[in-house]
Amino acid sequence: MRTGATFAYSRQKFRMVGQAQHEEKRVSTERIEGLAAVLTAVRNSEGMTQPRLTQHVGLGRSVVAQRVAELESAGLITDDGYGPSTGGRAPRRLRIRAEAGYVVGVDITAQRLVVGVADLAGTLLAQLEEVVDVADGPDAVLTTAERLIDDHLESIGRIARVWAIGIGVPGPVEFRTGQPVAPPIMPGWDRYPVRDRLAQRYGAPAWLDNDVNLLALAELRTNPAASAARNMLYMRADVGVGAGLVVKGELYRGANGSAGDIGHVAIPEGGDAICRCGNTGCLEAVAGGAALAREGRMLADTRQSPALAATLAETGTVRPLDVTLAAEKGDPAARALLQRSAHLLGGMLATLVSFYNPNLLVIGGGIVRARAHVLAAIREAIYRRSLPLATQDLRIEMSSLPDDLGGVTGAVHLALDEVFSPGRLARWLDAGSPAGQPYIATDDMLERPA
C-alpha cells in the first residue's frame, strides 16, 4: 500500500509540475505576443498613445501598461511628447527608439544594386547604387554589395550595431532557407546561401526574398492606401513580370515562397514565344520588358515606327523606355505596342482579381513610366473580364515609390518585420539586441552555436 500510495503521490506531483510548466509557457507566449503587438503598433503608427494602444492591440489597460514599461526598460520604445487631451491628463505619445540600432537593405536587380542603411523606424539614412550584372554570379555581385555595405557602415561609424539585414533578388526564393531556386536570369545562383553569407559576415540575422515581394512590402509600409486596404495585389511589370500578394496586412508567400510568379504562366496569346525560363508562351515573353524591346526593334527595322527607327540609328538599340518615349511623341506604332502589352497584363490581372478579390491593386516597375498609355487599357481589361463583385470595391493605382527606392525600402522593412516578430523577439530580447546573433533568422534552434 505504501508503495502504491508513493507512486500515486509521485504521479500527481509530476502532473502538477507539468501543468505549472505548461502554464508558465502559455504566460510567456502571451507576454511575448503582447510585447510584439505593442512594438508593431508603435512602429507603424506615428503619434501612438497608450490609450490608443489599448484599442489597437486588444489587450487590457494594465497589460498594455506593463508591456510598454517592459519595452521602455529594454530600450526599444521611448516618449515622444504628449498627445491631445480628451478632458483629463494629456496622454504620452510613444515612438520606437530608432537610434538604438541599424538595419541594412540590399536590392539586387538584373542590372543594378542598391544598398541602404536605415534606423529602426525604417528611415533610410544612406543609400548607394552601382551598376551590376546579376548574370556575373553571386560572388561578384555579393562582393560588390559587401563593399557598399562596409562603406555605409563606416560612414556612420556604427559597424557593431547592425541588427538585421534584408535582401531582395530578381528570381524565385525559398524563404525558409534564404536561397534562390532555379532563377531564370541568375546563372550560378541556384541554391547559393545568400542569406547565410551576409549573416555570417555581419554577425546579424538576415532574410532573403524575391524583389516583387519586397516592392509589395514597401507599398504596405509607406503607402497609407495599401496599409488601410489590408488585402492588396501588387504587380510589377518591368524586364520581368511578377506579383506580390498581401492578405490581411501580411505578405503571402505560399508553401515554398513562389506565390505570385505570374510572369511564367502560359497565356493563349503567348503562342510559341520563347521565354527566358525555357518554356514558350509565357506572359512575360510577350508582355515583359524584353518583349517590348524585341517588338520595338522590329518596328524600327521595318520603319513602321519612325521614332524608334531614329532611336535605333542614333543608339544602335531599342529599349523598353524608348518605346514609351516614342509613344509620348505621338508615334502610333509605339502606342499600339504599349496598348497590346497593357491588354495582356490586364487580362492576367483580371483573372487574379476574380480569384483573389483584393481591394487594392498597385502597379509598379518600368511600366509606371508609360502610365498615360497603359493604365486605361489595364483598367478596361480588368473591369471587362473580372466578376462584378470582385471589382465592386477595387481601387487601381500606380506605385508612387521611385523605382530605385522601392526594393531597398522593402528590404529594410523585411528585416524589421522579421526581427520584431514574436518568435524572433523572444530569442533576443533578454540579450538587448539581435546584433551578433545571426542564428535567430533560422527556424531550427539546433543551428544556434554552442
Side-chain angles (χ1 to χ4, degrees):
M1 285 293 295
R2 186 177 302 170
T3 301
T6 302
F7 177 76
Y9 172 78
S10 299
R11 186 169 54 186
Q12 182 181 10
K13 182 177 180 181
F14 179 80
R15 184 162 48 245
M16 293 174 62
V17 169
Q19 289 173 345
Q21 289 176 337
H22 175 76
E23 180 66 17
E24 183 180 354
K25 183 178 180 180
R26 184 186 65 79
V27 171
S28 178
T29 300
E30 289 178 354
R31 167 180 161 267
I32 287 295
E33 288 178 348
L35 289 169
V38 169
L39 187 56
T40 297
V42 172
R43 279 179 55 219
N44 295 337
S45 301
E46 188 175 348
M48 179 63 74
T49 63
Q50 199 159 308
R52 282 180 58 205
L53 266 176
T54 302
Q55 299 172 348
H56 191 86
V57 301
L59 297 174
R61 188 164 51 185
S62 62
V63 175
V64 168
Q66 291 172 6
R67 302 297 174 255
V68 166
E70 193 169 349
L71 290 170
E72 286 181 311
S73 178
L76 293 176
I77 63 175
T78 188
D79 280 350
D80 191 29
Y82 290 91
S85 172
T86 56
R89 187 170 59 181
R92 289 191 306 152
R93 290 188 304 191
L94 300 166
R95 68 169 177 85
I96 189 163
R97 281 194 65 234
E99 66 277 13
Y102 299 92
V103 294
V104 173
V106 180
D107 178 30
I108 301 169
T109 72
Q111 298 176 326
R112 188 181 69 222
L113 171 67
V114 183
V115 169
V117 175
D119 61 24
L120 298 187
T123 303
L124 282 170
L125 307 175
Q127 177 186 341
L128 289 175
E129 181 177 332
E130 193 159 315
V131 174
V132 298
D133 186 347
V134 75
D136 287 341
D139 191 58
V141 174
L142 293 178
T143 296
T144 302
E146 289 161 354
R147 173 170 55 80
L148 296 182
I149 294 171
D150 292 344
D151 289 346
H152 270 324
L153 296 178
E154 185 177 349
S155 71
I156 60 177
R158 302 296 175 96
I159 293 180
R161 297 177 68 189
V162 177
W163 279 36
I165 304 169
I167 314 138
V169 294
V173 169
E174 186 177 56
F175 189 72
R176 181 182 60 82
T177 62
Q179 297 176 351
V181 178
I185 64 165
M186 301 172 66
W189 290 78
D190 184 33
R191 293 292 179 182
Y192 188 88
V194 179
R195 178 194 70 184
D196 295 345
R197 170 170 170 161
L198 293 184
Q200 290 170 14
R201 178 180 175 89
Y202 295 101
W207 288 272
L208 179 76
D209 209 339
N210 75 71
D211 54 354
V212 184
N213 277 348
L214 295 192
L215 290 168
L217 187 58
E219 288 288 337
L220 191 63
R221 296 289 175 258
T222 64
N223 180 350
S227 179
R230 305 289 290 167
N231 296 300
M232 179 185 75
L233 175 64
Y234 179 97
M235 184 199 73
R236 183 188 192 189
D238 210 301
V239 175
V241 178
L245 281 70
V246 174
V247 180
K248 295 182 179 178
E250 301 289 338
L251 271 177
Y252 176 76
R253 297 183 175 90
N256 297 312
S258 66
D261 199 355
I262 62 172
H264 302 291
V265 173
I267 61 173
E269 301 88 344
D272 58 359
I274 299 174
C275 184
R276 59 182 178 171
C277 72
N279 292 320
T280 58
C282 297
L283 173 67
E284 184 178 300
V286 291
L292 276 179
R294 182 185 67 245
E295 296 299 317
R297 175 64 184 258
M298 186 273 292
L299 293 175
D301 286 337
T302 59
R303 312 292 296 183
Q304 295 179 60
S305 168
L308 291 176
T311 297
L312 180 61
E314 182 180 349
T315 66
T317 188
V318 173
R319 305 166 300 165
L321 176 60
D322 295 324
V323 177
T324 299
L325 295 175
E328 290 174 351
K329 294 175 183 177
D331 187 281
R335 287 186 171 183
L337 178 55
L338 287 174
Q339 288 278 309
R340 178 176 182 271
S341 294
H343 278 293
L344 293 174
L345 293 170
M348 175 60 71
L349 287 172
T351 301
L352 294 177
V353 165
S354 291
F355 177 76
Y356 170 47
N357 190 202
N359 47 355
L360 176 66
L361 166 62
V362 178
I363 302 169
I367 197 172
V368 171
R369 294 189 292 263
R371 63 186 304 158
H373 307 285
V374 301
L375 185 55
I378 290 174
R379 286 180 184 273
E380 189 274 333
I382 292 172
Y383 284 106
R384 176 170 52 85
R385 299 180 60 174
S386 297
L387 295 171
L389 185 60
T391 58
Q392 179 174 292
D393 299 312
L394 179 65
R395 178 175 174 178
I396 303 173
E397 62 181 47
M398 290 289 191
S399 173
S400 60
L401 282 169
D403 205 33
D404 61 338
L405 278 182
V408 73
T409 299
V412 162
H413 283 284
L414 170 68
L416 289 170
D417 286 356
E418 290 295 331
V419 85
F420 289 137
S421 66
R424 315 297 182 193
L425 186 64
R427 296 170 74 172
W428 63 261
L429 184 60
D430 289 343
S433 100
Q437 302 182 69
Y439 55 83
I440 70 167
T442 65
D443 292 326
D444 188 355
M445 282 297 289
L446 294 178
E447 296 186 40
R448 176 173 179 161

